[in-house]
Amino acid sequence: MDSPHSGPTKGASLAAGARDTLPMLVGAAPFGVIFGTLVAASPLAAWQGQMMSLTVYAGSSQFIALGLVAGHAGLAVIWLTTFIVNLRHMLYGAALLPHVAHLPARWRWLLGFLMTDETFAVMSGHYARHPRAPMGHWYFLGSALAMYGNWQLWTLVGLLFGAAFPQLQSLGLDFAMVATFIAIVVPQLANLPRFAAALAAGTTAFLGQDLPYKLGLMAAVIAGVAVGLALSRWRAGGLTRERTA
Amino acid sequence: MTYTIMILGMAAVTVFIKASLFVAGDRVSFPPLLKEALGFVPVTVLTAIIMPMILSPRGQGLELSVDNPQLAGAIAAILVCALTGRQLLTIVAALAVFFGWQMGVMG
């Protein structure tokens, strides 16, 4: 049993992770419905659409695959595109690795499979606030399972009733994701290199938003990280010079 | 059948990308420079994802106008978060400004 000093229990951490992901669930819902609707209008069978959500579980690449199928692209092109579009998840894995490296292999497979932009956002915020949380992986699982179940549900709704929601995208429900990301990022910006890194990344992402395959996003991360590293090096160099002077 | 193979291939590619570093676990250790670089990943990638959604929500160039509820909501979120540091309050305030803006200013 947990003593009062051992922090939250497994169940409480699981629930907290799911609860803190709630705005992301609202934000992802319309995209699940739209994906299901597009599958219904594509050559894929409905069960294949659900299977894609269950096994691929990466929204952007699912949408792009439907587009490539419509354009009669070959398998190799679709798989390579999937690779490029989803490559950012490898960065998420690298960034969160120190927090999961101690877990049993089945945990690391599961949390890796369930990684999304949203869960990465929630977890980077959580670990920034609680770097040594012993139940962090339960919180992670709670966030990830909530996103996974949500995506399956709204894919199914789209497959079944998609035609009933023609104007879903214009509601702007994805703004819930924007608001949550801001709430996670802003507290981490009270540091000049990170602030400059975010500014560079945001500018590059805006300028490169029309590039295909999320290449603008990758370029933005590279630009932001380069600016952040350069500034923190420069500051560290300045401090060393002051000390030695 | 071909679509099933396509989907399973996409799943294999994606799980490799998402899980390989986690599964490698302690066997990978990053050099200090890379570790420092990875520390900038959260703020850069999250900012990069939302910036186009805020500045050009219709995907048609820069929309710095009162007709952009995403911009109004984002400014509210940044202000509330910077002033209070409270996450839930930030989200609620941003959503209130966003939907209020959609109905009030543009409705």
Side-chain angles (χ1 to χ4, degrees), chain A residues 9-87:
Chain A
T9 62
K10 293 170 186 176
S13 299
L14 195 78
R19 182 200 62 210
D20 291 351
T21 309
L22 205 60
M24 311 288 200
L25 304 182
V26 176
F31 292 101
V33 177
I34 292 165
F35 174 72
T37 311
L38 291 178
V39 168
S42 82
L44 272 72
W47 65 269
Q48 287 171 319
Q50 192 70 53
M51 180 181 146
M52 201 193 282
S53 282
L54 284 165
T55 63
V56 180
Y57 186 49
S60 316
S61 63
Q62 293 181 223
F63 278 101
I64 290 167
L66 291 184
L68 291 173
V69 164
H72 305 289
L75 279 182
V77 171
I78 292 174
W79 290 338
L80 183 65
T81 308
T82 304
F83 182 81
I84 298 169
V85 170
N86 287 335
L87 205 52

Side-chain angles (χ1 to χ4, degrees), chain A residues 183 186-187, chain B residues 76-93:
Chain A
V186 168
Chain B
I78 292 168
L79 289 177
V80 173
C81 194
L83 292 176
T84 68
R86 291 176 59 195
Q87 206 171 17
L88 192 60
L89 182 68
T90 301
I91 296 166
V92 171

Side-chain angles (χ1 to χ4, degrees), chain B residues 2-41:
Chain B
T2 318
Y3 293 131
T4 303
I5 294 171
M6 172 191 89
I7 293 165
L8 293 178
M10 289 174 65
V13 167
T14 306
V15 79
F16 170 78
I17 294 168
K18 287 183 175 183
S20 55
L21 285 175
F22 272 16
V23 171
D26 285 330
R27 280 165 287 169
V28 286
S29 70
F30 302 119
L33 180 66
L34 189 55
K35 267 188 200 158
E36 200 185 339
L38 288 171
F40 288 104
V41 166

